[in-house]
Amino acid sequence: MSRSSSPIKFSSSSNSTTPTSPITSSSGSSTLMIQEWEKSTILTSKEEDFLYHLKNQSFSSFSTSLNTTTIHSNNDNNKKEEEEELIIDLLINKEINELKYINYQQQLQSYQDLSHKLIFKINNTLAIYDDLKEQYEIVCNKTNKLHLDCEKLVKETNELENIFKELENKLKNFEEFEELNQNLNASGSFEKIICQPSFISTLNRLDDAINFLSNHLDFKETTIYITKHKYLLSKALAQTRDYIMDQIKIVTENLFIKLKALLQNKNLSINNISKNSNSVTDRFLDELQENTLLFIDFKQNLEKIKNLIETLEGKSYRREYHVFLTDCLECYLQQRYNLLYLVVSNQLIYLFQTCLNNNSPSSINNNVVNGQVKGDLFIRNGCKYMIEIYLQEQLLFQYFFKDERKKSRFSLFMNNITNLLYERIRELIIKENRFDTLCNFIEILRNEILQDSLNNRMNNNTTIVNSTLNSVVLISFEPIVHAMIQDIQERLIYLTSFFISNEIAKYVPLQEDLDYPKKLLSTNNKRLLFENDTSLDDSHETIIDKEEESKKSYGQYLAWYPTLEWTLTLLSKLYKVLDVGVFEGLAQEAVTLCAASFIDASRKISEKSDALNGSLFLISHLLILLQELSYFKVSFTKTETTLDFSHLYEGISRFLKGQASFSVTSMIFDLLSQTRPRIIVSNVDSKKDLEKQLKLSCENFILNTVKYVADTCMTFIKKHNITNTSVQQDKNEHIYQEVLAVKKEMTEDIIDKLKYVNDLLPLYLKETKTITTLTQPIKHQLFSLYEQFLNIIKESKYLEEQRAELLSQLMTEESFKELINNQFTNAK
C-alpha cells in the first residue's frame, strides 16, 4: 500500500531499538506495537484515521470481534486479512524510514564539526575587532578635544572682531562729522552739491548719527557732537528748502510770462472770433498749448526736485523735516495759485463772453436771451472746466507730494480756485429773476455735474486710473456745487414769496379774465378748429408733433384763470428743486392765496354775468387745483404757533384801577401772572380747506340753479306758507294768477332754463361723473318743489273752484320727473 513522504521525527534517544512486530492476538502487544510505531514516525492522514479508529475500540471488543469473524462467513475472513496486510505494510515502511534517518544523522554530524571550526575563527576575529575599537576611541577623544579648542579660539576671535566693529561704528558717528561737513561745504555752488546722488546719502548719514548720539548720551562729548550734527543738518535742510523754492519760483515765472502772452493772443482771437473762420481750431490749439504749459512743462521742469521732496516727506515725522517741507508746500501752492488764477480767471471770462449776445458767434446766439448771459451754458461749461482743472491739478500735486496728510491743505487751496467760478455763478443767480432759468440751473448742477460728470468719472477707470483721486475730487468739489444749489434755492424762495404776495394775492383781473362763458366758448372753438384741421400733409406730421402737443396743452391753459396757471406752473417747477419742508410751506401759502383769488373772481363773474357762471367757475377751478395738487407727494398742512394777548387789556385795566391786590408786590405779581401771553398751536391744512370750499361752492351752485329754474315756484311756496300762518288773505283771483305763472314756469320755461344749465355744465366741467353728482341734487330739489306746489293747489281753500281745471292743466309728478330726467339725459 503506497503513501506519500512525510517529515521525519527523531526519537529522544539516538540509538533507538527496532520495535517488535505486532503479530500477536493479545491486546497488550497490539497496543504497545501501535504506540512504538506512532512515536517513531509521522503518519499520513489516512494512517492517522486508521489509528484513531483502533484507539477508540477496546482491545477486548477487538479480540471478541476477531473470534467472531473466525466463526462467521467467508466475507468476514477477507476483512480480517486486509487488516493484517495493512499492519504488515506499515511495519515494512517503518524499517525503510529508519535507514534514511541513520544516513541523515551522519550528515548532520559532519555539519556540526564544520560549525565548530567556524565558531573558533569568528571568536578570533572578534578579539581583533575589540582591539581596533579601543584604539579608535582613543583617537576620537583626542580629535574632539582638538575641535573644541579650535572652536573656542574661533569664537574668541569673532567676539573680538565684533567688539572692534562695534567700537568702529560708534566712533564713526564722531569721526565722520568732518567728512560730512566737507561734503556739504565743498567748493562750488550748492546747486551742484544738491544735484549729486551722494547728497541724499549725506542727509541719511547725518540722521543716523543724530539718532545714535541721542540714544547714547552717556558717551563722552555726545552733547557737543549732537549740537554740531543738528546744526549741519539744519543748514543742509535750509539750503535744500531754498533751492526747492527757488526752482519753483523760477519755473513759475517763466511759465507765467509764456501763459500771459498766450492769453493775450487768445483774447485778441476772441474779439475777432466772428471774422476768423478758423477760430474754433485756433482756440483748441490755444487751450492745448495752455494745458501743456500749465501742467506738462511745469512737471518736467521740476523733475529734479522730486527726489528731494520725497526725502523730506519720508522723514517728515521729525520736526526739522516737517517744518521745511511745509515751507516748500506753501511755496508750491502759492506759485500754482498764481498760474491757475491767471488761466482760470481768463477762461471764465472767455466762457462768459461767449455767452453774450453782442460778442458771440452765430453758433452761440441761441444761448443768449435779450443780450443777457444764458447762465445754463456758462454753468455747464464752467463746472466741467473746473472739474478738469481740479483733476489735473490733483494729479500734479500727488506727483510731487504723496503724503496723505497734505490733502486737506490741497483742498483748501483748490477751494480758492473754485471760488472764482462760484463768484461768477453767484452774480448770475443774483441778477436772474426767471423761475425757469433758476430751476434749470439746479437741474444742471444736480444731474449733469454731480451725477454725470463726477459720478461717471468715479466709475470710469479708463478715463481716470486712480479711483482714490476721483473720490478726493468728488468730496472736495461737491460742497461747492451744493453751495451753488443753496444760493439758487434761496433766490427761488425769495422770488416765490415775492410772486405769491404781489402777483397772486394782489392780482387784479382784466375784463377778458372775467368774460365767462364767452372765454370758454372761444377756447373750445379754437380747439375744435385745431383738431379738425386736415390741411397738413402726412409728410409734415412727424415734424410738427411736438408743436401740436404744445398747442393742445396751451389751449387747455387758455380757459384757466391766470392765478391757477401761475400757481400750478410755479409749484411744478419748485417741486423738483426745493427741499420738501420748504416746498410745503410755499405751496401751502400759494394754494391758500390762489383759492382766495378764485373766490374773488367768482364774485365778480356773478356780478358781471350771473350766479351760475360764478359758481361753476369756482367749482371747476377748485377741482382742477385739487386734482393737480394730488400729483405732489407732499403734505399741505402747516402748524402755526401764535401768542394770544387778548386778555392783556383786562389785566392791565385791573392793575391800573388797583383791583388786583392790596400790596404793590402782589399787584405786580398778579399783573405778570395774568398778562402772560397764551401759546396757541393750530394746524392749517390747505387741501382740506379747498375741499370744504368746494363743497360749499357745490351747495351754492345747486341752490342758485334751483332758484334760477324755479324762482317763481319757490316764491309762491314761501308766500303760501306765510299766508297760512298769518291773518292776511289774498283774493282768489290774485292767487289764481300766481298759480298760472308758476305753471308756466314749471312746464314751459323750465325747458329753456334747464337747457341753459346743461349747456353751461360741459363748458366748465369735463367729467360726466362730476356733472351727474351736481345734477342729482338739483333734480331732487325740483321734484320736491313741484310736489309741494301740487299739494298747495290740492289743499288751498282759495282755489276750490279752479282746482280741477288747474290740476288738469298741470303735469303729474311722474310726468314732471320724466321731463326733468329727459332734459338732463339729452344734455349728456
Side-chain angles (χ1 to χ4, degrees):
M1 189 175 183
S2 63
R3 61 188 182 90
S4 60
S5 61
S6 60
I8 300 173
K9 184 177 181 183
F10 292 99
S11 60
S12 59
S13 129
S14 62
N15 298 321
S16 61
T17 60
T18 303
T20 308
S21 300
I23 313 176
T24 177
S25 60
S26 62
S27 60
S29 61
S30 299
T31 302
L32 179 62
M33 179 185 66
I34 293 171
Q35 290 177 353
E36 290 295 329
W37 177 77
E38 183 180 5
K39 291 180 180 179
S40 62
T41 186
I42 296 176
L43 304 179
T44 62
S45 60
K46 291 182 179 181
E47 293 171 348
E48 288 178 356
D49 293 338
F50 178 74
L51 290 176
Y52 179 76
H53 176 72
L54 291 179
K55 287 179 182 180
N56 290 336
Q57 291 181 355
S58 62
F59 287 98
S60 59
S61 62
F62 177 79
S63 61
T64 303
S65 63
L66 183 63
N67 294 328
T68 304
T69 54
T70 306
I71 300 173
H72 286 169
S73 62
N74 292 327
N75 294 329
D76 295 333
N77 292 329
N78 293 329
K79 183 176 181 182
K80 181 178 179 182
E81 289 176 359
E82 291 178 357
E83 293 176 353
E84 290 177 353
E85 289 178 358
L86 179 61
I87 294 172
I88 292 171
D89 291 336
L90 293 173
L91 294 176
I92 293 172
N93 290 331
K94 179 180 179 185
E95 291 176 357
I96 294 171
N97 289 333
E98 285 180 354
L99 293 175
K100 293 180 180 180
Y101 294 155
I102 292 170
N103 294 330
Y104 185 70
Q105 181 180 10
Q106 292 175 358
Q107 187 178 1
L108 290 177
Q109 186 67 36
S110 63
Y111 289 160
Q112 184 179 10
D113 295 338
L114 181 61
S115 299
H116 289 166
K117 293 178 182 180
L118 289 174
I119 290 171
F120 178 77
K121 291 180 180 181
I122 290 171
N123 290 332
N124 292 334
T125 305
L126 291 175
I128 295 170
Y129 171 75
D130 292 337
D131 294 338
L132 290 174
K133 184 177 180 181
E134 183 178 358
Q135 293 176 5
Y136 173 76
E137 290 178 354
I138 294 171
V139 172
C140 286
N141 291 331
K142 292 181 179 180
T143 304
N144 291 333
K145 184 178 180 182
L146 180 62
H147 287 171
L148 291 175
D149 294 339
C150 291
E151 289 178 356
K152 185 177 180 181
L153 291 174
V154 171
K155 184 177 180 181
E156 291 177 353
T157 302
N158 292 333
E159 290 178 354
L160 291 174
E161 289 180 354
N162 292 332
I163 293 172
F164 172 75
K165 290 180 180 179
E166 185 177 356
L167 290 174
E168 186 179 10
N169 290 331
K170 292 179 179 179
L171 292 174
K172 181 181 178 181
N173 295 303
F174 294 90
E175 295 174 351
E176 69 178 357
F177 173 76
E178 296 298 333
E179 180 184 355
L180 295 175
N181 190 14
Q182 291 177 1
N183 292 337
L184 294 176
N185 295 320
S187 60
S189 62
F190 184 75
E191 181 177 356
K192 295 181 180 179
I193 299 174
I194 203 171
C195 292
Q196 295 177 359
S198 60
F199 177 76
I200 296 178
S201 63
T202 302
L203 293 180
N204 294 331
R205 290 166 62 185
L206 276 173
D207 290 333
D208 295 338
I210 292 174
N211 292 331
F212 174 80
L213 294 174
S214 300
N215 295 328
H216 300 84
L217 297 175
D218 53 340
F219 291 178
K220 186 177 181 181
E221 298 182 355
T222 302
T223 307
I224 298 174
Y225 278 93
I226 288 177
T227 305
K228 290 181 179 181
H229 281 83
K230 285 186 176 181
Y231 171 76
L232 188 60
L233 178 64
S234 299
K235 182 180 178 182
L237 291 178
Q239 291 176 342
T240 304
R241 176 199 60 190
D242 296 338
Y243 173 75
I244 293 174
M245 294 173 64
D246 291 339
Q247 291 298 317
I248 293 174
K249 291 178 181 179
I250 292 172
V251 172
T252 302
E253 289 176 0
N254 295 332
L255 294 178
F256 188 87
I257 295 172
K258 294 179 181 179
L259 285 171
K260 193 172 182 180
L262 180 63
L263 294 175
Q264 289 177 354
N265 296 330
K266 181 180 177 181
N267 293 332
L268 292 177
S269 63
I270 293 174
N271 296 328
N272 299 325
I273 193 171
S274 60
K275 301 178 181 179
N276 190 359
S277 60
N278 298 324
S279 58
V280 177
T281 305
D282 294 340
R283 188 167 66 253
F284 175 76
L285 294 176
D286 290 341
E287 291 180 357
L288 181 61
Q289 187 177 0
E290 182 180 303
N291 290 331
T292 302
L293 291 173
L294 190 60
F295 297 107
I296 299 177
D297 290 352
F298 186 86
K299 178 179 177 181
Q300 291 179 349
N301 293 332
L302 293 180
E303 184 69 29
K304 53 188 174 182
I305 68 171
K306 182 176 181 295
N307 293 332
L308 296 176
I309 295 176
E310 289 180 354
T311 303
L312 295 179
E313 278 189 330
K315 299 181 179 181
S316 60
Y317 58 89
R318 295 184 57 177
R319 188 183 64 84
E320 298 90 347
Y321 286 88
H322 179 72
V323 171
F324 293 119
L325 178 63
T326 303
D327 295 340
C328 295
L329 175 64
E330 293 298 329
C331 177
Y332 171 85
L333 295 178
Q334 180 62 39
Q335 298 303 315
R336 289 300 300 172
Y337 179 80
N338 295 336
L339 292 176
L340 288 176
Y341 181 84
L342 175 65
V343 176
V344 172
S345 59
N346 188 276
Q347 181 66 19
L348 293 178
I349 293 173
Y350 164 73
L351 293 176
F352 192 83
Q353 289 179 350
T354 53
C355 297
L356 289 176
N357 190 16
N358 52 357
N359 288 331
S360 62
S362 58
S363 60
I364 309 177
N365 280 337
N366 54 357
N367 295 322
V368 182
V369 180
N370 296 329
Q372 297 180 353
V373 176
K374 189 175 182 182
D376 53 356
L377 179 65
F378 177 74
I379 290 176
R380 185 181 294 109
N381 295 336
C383 289
K384 290 181 179 180
Y385 171 75
M386 192 57 66
I387 291 173
E388 293 296 333
I389 291 293
Y390 210 121
L391 289 172
Q392 296 297 330
E393 190 62 29
Q394 179 73 12
L395 286 173
L396 183 64
F397 180 80
Q398 286 189 349
Y399 180 77
F400 290 105
F401 299 93
K402 294 179 171 54
D403 192 357
E404 296 293 331
R405 295 172 293 180
K406 305 300 181 183
K407 287 183 179 179
S408 59
R409 181 64 186 89
F410 176 77
S411 298
L412 294 176
F413 158 72
M414 287 306 300
N415 287 339
N416 296 329
I417 300 298
T418 52
N419 281 336
L420 299 174
L421 175 63
Y422 174 76
E423 294 298 331
R424 281 284 184 178
I425 294 178
R426 184 172 175 80
E427 291 178 7
L428 293 177
I429 295 171
I430 294 174
K431 295 178 181 178
E432 187 60 57
N433 295 321
R434 291 168 293 182
F435 289 97
D436 292 338
T437 305
L438 293 173
C439 294
N440 192 26
F441 288 173
I442 295 180
E443 290 180 357
I444 291 173
L445 291 173
R446 283 180 176 173
N447 300 330
E448 298 184 17
I449 304 304
L450 287 181
Q451 295 182 4
D452 296 340
S453 297
L454 292 177
N455 293 340
N456 286 344
R457 293 174 185 276
M458 286 286 295
N459 299 326
N460 189 4
N461 291 329
T462 59
T463 303
I464 300 298
V465 179
N466 193 350
S467 60
T468 305
L469 171 63
N470 291 326
S471 62
V472 173
V473 173
L474 178 62
I475 295 172
S476 302
F477 193 71
E478 187 176 3
I480 298 173
V481 178
H482 284 300
M484 297 178 189
I485 294 175
Q486 290 177 358
D487 291 342
I488 300 172
Q489 288 176 341
E490 291 177 0
R491 181 64 176 170
L492 277 173
I493 294 170
Y494 169 75
L495 293 177
T496 302
S497 301
F498 182 82
F499 182 80
I500 292 173
S501 59
N502 289 276
E503 299 297 331
I504 296 178
K506 298 179 181 180
Y507 178 70
V508 178
L510 304 176
Q511 291 297 325
E512 55 268 21
D513 294 335
L514 303 176
D515 192 10
Y516 284 89
K518 291 182 180 181
K519 185 176 181 180
L520 296 174
L521 292 172
S522 62
T523 303
N524 289 339
N525 292 333
K526 292 179 181 179
R527 189 180 304 163
L528 291 174
L529 289 174
F530 179 78
E531 291 176 355
N532 296 328
D533 187 8
T534 59
S535 61
L536 295 173
D537 296 334
D538 294 338
S539 60
H540 296 158
E541 289 181 359
T542 56
I543 301 176
I544 62 168
D545 284 341
K546 294 183 179 180
E547 296 181 0
E548 290 180 358
E549 293 178 0
S550 62
K551 288 180 180 179
K552 288 180 181 179
S553 61
Y554 180 70
Q556 179 184 0
Y557 296 148
L558 289 176
W560 288 4
Y561 193 64
T563 56
L564 175 61
E565 180 183 356
W566 295 345
T567 302
L568 294 178
T569 304
L570 180 63
L571 294 181
S572 64
K573 293 175 181 177
L574 298 179
Y575 180 65
K576 298 180 180 180
V577 298
L578 292 183
D579 296 335
V580 176
V582 177
F583 176 79
E584 288 177 352
L586 294 175
Q588 194 271 344
E589 182 182 1
V591 168
T592 302
L593 295 178
C594 181
S597 68
F598 294 162
I599 297 172
D600 181 66
S602 175
R603 179 179 57 80
K604 293 179 180 180
I605 291 172
S606 299
E607 294 175 357
K608 182 179 180 181
S609 178
D610 54 40
L612 295 181
N613 284 283
S615 299
L616 286 174
F617 168 84
L618 184 57
I619 292 172
S620 64
H621 280 70
L622 289 176
L623 282 174
I624 294 172
L625 183 58
L626 282 171
Q627 182 180 2
E628 296 295 330
L629 291 179
S630 63
Y631 298 115
F632 299 103
K633 305 301 181 181
V634 294
S635 174
F636 289 90
T637 303
K638 183 174 69 173
T639 302
E640 296 181 349
T641 303
T642 57
L643 298 177
D644 183 16
F645 294 94
S646 59
H647 59 289
L648 181 62
Y649 177 76
E650 181 181 356
I652 294 176
S653 299
R654 293 181 58 192
F655 175 76
L656 294 176
K657 293 178 181 180
Q659 298 176 0
S661 179
F662 293 101
S663 63
V664 177
T665 305
S666 299
M667 291 173 63
I668 295 174
F669 179 76
D670 291 341
L671 177 64
L672 295 176
S673 60
Q674 294 178 8
T675 58
R676 286 185 302 175
R678 299 170 185 170
I679 300 176
I680 300 176
V681 180
S682 59
N683 294 324
V684 179
D685 193 338
S686 300
K687 216 168 185 179
K688 289 185 178 180
D689 292 343
L690 287 179
E691 293 173 355
K692 292 178 182 178
Q693 185 62 42
L694 178 61
K695 183 179 179 180
L696 180 62
S697 302
C698 293
E699 293 175 354
N700 291 334
F701 171 73
I702 295 169
L703 180 61
N704 291 332
T705 303
V706 173
K707 185 177 181 181
Y708 168 72
V709 174
D711 187 30
T712 306
C713 183
M714 292 176 63
T715 304
F716 175 77
I717 293 172
K718 183 179 180 180
K719 183 177 180 182
H720 178 75
N721 292 333
I722 295 174
T723 303
N724 289 337
T725 57
S726 63
V727 180
Q728 182 180 1
Q729 297 181 355
D730 294 332
K731 296 180 180 180
N732 295 343
E733 186 65 24
H734 182 67
I735 295 175
Y736 180 73
Q737 294 297 328
E738 291 181 351
V739 171
L740 291 177
V742 173
K743 168 183 164 297
K744 180 182 179 182
E745 180 185 56
M746 299 300 287
T747 56
E748 300 176 4
D749 298 343
I750 194 172
I751 297 175
D752 296 334
K753 292 181 179 179
L754 288 178
K755 185 177 183 303
Y756 175 72
V757 174
N758 289 328
D759 291 340
L760 288 180
L761 286 173
L763 288 176
Y764 288 94
L765 305 175
K766 303 303 178 184
E767 295 184 3
T768 307
K769 184 179 178 181
T770 307
I771 296 175
T772 304
T773 304
L774 285 176
T775 55
Q776 287 294 335
I778 295 174
K779 291 192 290 186
H780 291 307
Q781 290 279 355
L782 293 176
F783 296 158
S784 178
L785 287 176
Y786 192 74
E787 183 181 357
Q788 294 181 29
F789 172 66
L790 292 180
N791 291 333
I792 290 174
I793 294 176
K794 293 176 182 179
E795 297 175 0
S796 178
K797 61 182 179 179
Y798 301 106
L799 299 173
E800 293 179 356
E801 298 178 357
Q802 299 88 353
R803 181 178 295 123
E805 181 183 358
L806 291 174
L807 292 175
S808 63
Q809 295 176 359
L810 292 171
M811 292 183 294
T812 61
E813 294 182 13
E814 290 76 12
S815 300
F816 182 78
K817 290 180 180 181
E818 184 179 357
L819 174 65
I820 299 300
N821 290 329
N822 290 335
Q823 291 297 320
F824 284 107
T825 304
N826 293 333
K828 295 178 183 178

